[in-house]
Amino acid sequence: MSVIVVAPDSFKGSASATEIAGALAEGWRSERPHDRLVPAPMADGGEGTLDAFAAAVPEAVAHPVRVTGPDGVPIEAAWLLLPDGTALVELAATSGLGRMRTLAPFDAHTIGFGEAVADALAAGATGLLLAIGGSASTDGGTGALSALGARFLDAVGRDVPPGNRGLAALASVDLSGLVPLPHGGARILSDVTSRLLGPEGAAAVFGPQKGAAPSDVPVLEAGLRRLADVLSTSGAAVDPDEPGAGAAGGTGFGLLLWGARMAPGAAAVGDAMGLPATIAGADAVITGEGRFDSQSAAGKVPAYVAARAGEAGVPALLVAGAIAAPTDGFADAVALTELAGGAAETMADPHRWARAAGAELARRFRG
């Protein structure tokens, strides 16, 4: 009997990490029924991070909160209070793409995320873990900071409209009312290392995912640049070139301005779950994500899991919807698109093809 840890990320847009882990385990058991499968669904700061922490830390308490959604409509969400007094707030749950009825690249905002953070602070949170993947907006984090007491003003002292659209009229920033960080500080959980501006920045790389047309991207970029310039002239600057400043439509930039610090999302989730010790006691670990590409090495779940497996001398196996980069560091790899015959077939039934991938890996495993 072999012990197999199953630790994938979600396949974004098609299946949660828990669903993918279950399907992989089911497929593996169909070929090797006597092995022990240990589910350990993962996240890296994006959608599913709150659920991953809740599963890993049973003593954590969910706090429901009603916030302003990214399109201005009130929504129900929650943040998680961990046993040590740290609050985990997930942007995807409050201001994420999944909360939009219609994509609005210029008007979507992060106000709800800031409202959830404020609620956690009012409840006495002593530290913050801020999971910022999956944002619907490119507002530079101004919505979140507004909810925490900052003001972003036009030339006559009026609050600019929320979202990136308002940044075009930005003339000054008033941070005097911004609530202080809790004494335990705030860590930003993200798998993105992009700068705020430029061809690899928030607007260029992630704007199209949020509904921006090619002609919209320079306008979104200009708004973010104006935000950085106004902050620089006000003396409240944060470096827009800092890795992670471009995460979540520039929300990383806004949170860095507040005083939060970047932290690898996958490592924070995995360490909270005790995943390194779990892997060390296994014969193999299966990980994966929806698309394995050149960005996957930059702190995403498969890279983190493979690194921990390598340290323990345990083979790491990769499953991804599509594989578009070398799989060095993995003992074996399967792409669902190859099993299904194409991307459309994979997306139509990801659970079926994840089961097929689990079975294929089990047939090839020699542990």
Side-chain angles (χ1 to χ4, degrees), residues 273-341:
M273 293 171 60
L275 190 61
T278 303
I279 291 173
D283 296 289
V285 57
I286 307 172
T287 187
E289 62 182 342
R291 178 178 173 82
F292 184 82
D293 56 25
S294 59
Q295 297 185 34
S296 296
K300 290 182 178 287
V301 165
Y304 167 78
V305 173
R308 302 294 80 76
E311 292 166 357
V314 172
L317 314 176
L318 175 69
V319 174
I323 296 177
T327 57
D328 302 340
F330 295 94
D332 201 354
V334 173
L336 303 194
T337 51
E338 294 182 3
L339 296 176

Side-chain angles (χ1 to χ4, degrees), residues 161-249:
N164 184 281
R165 188 182 303 278
L167 298 181
L170 186 65
S172 64
V173 178
D174 179 3
L175 302 178
S176 61
L178 187 61
V179 300
L181 292 173
H183 67 76
R187 286 180 288 161
I188 305 165
L189 308 185
S190 175
D191 66 348
V192 173
T193 57
S194 299
R195 297 178 172 89
L196 179 68
L197 304 170
E200 303 300 324
V205 175
F206 302 108
Q209 299 174 9
K210 301 167 187 183
S215 59
D216 295 332
V217 171
V219 184
L220 294 171
E221 173 88 357
L224 294 175
R225 187 173 296 280
R226 182 158 187 83
L227 172 63
D229 290 346
V230 169
L231 285 169
S232 179
T233 57
S234 72
V238 59
D239 186 358
D241 286 336
E242 184 165 342

Side-chain angles (χ1 to χ4, degrees), residues 74-182:
I75 58 173
E76 303 298 331
W79 54 271
L80 197 66
L81 184 64
L82 304 178
D84 67 354
T86 300
L88 171 69
V89 187
E90 181 186 292
L91 187 148
T94 55
S95 304
L97 279 168
R99 292 297 202 169
M100 295 289 289
R101 296 168 296 177
T102 303
L103 296 180
F106 288 101
D107 298 305
H109 55 71
T110 54
I111 291 172
F113 178 59
E115 290 172 342
V117 172
D119 190 71
L121 293 175
T126 57
L128 294 169
L129 291 174
L130 305 172
I132 65 169
S135 167
S137 74
T138 310
D139 73 350
T142 53
L145 294 183
S146 296
L148 291 165
R151 296 189 68 194
F152 297 87
L153 308 169
D154 64 16
V156 296
R158 298 172 302 194
D159 293 298
V160 299
N164 184 281
R165 188 182 303 278
L167 298 181
L170 186 65
S172 64
V173 178
D174 179 3
L175 302 178
S176 61
L178 187 61
V179 300
L181 292 173

Side-chain angles (χ1 to χ4, degrees), residues 42-57 60-63 65 77-82 87-94 129 131 189 269:
M42 278 284 292
D44 55 18
E47 181 182 358
T49 299
L50 192 147
D51 290 341
F53 267 88
V57 187
V61 178
H63 286 251
V65 61
W79 54 271
L80 197 66
L81 184 64
L82 304 178
L88 171 69
V89 187
E90 181 186 292
L91 187 148
T94 55
L129 291 174
L189 308 185
V269 176

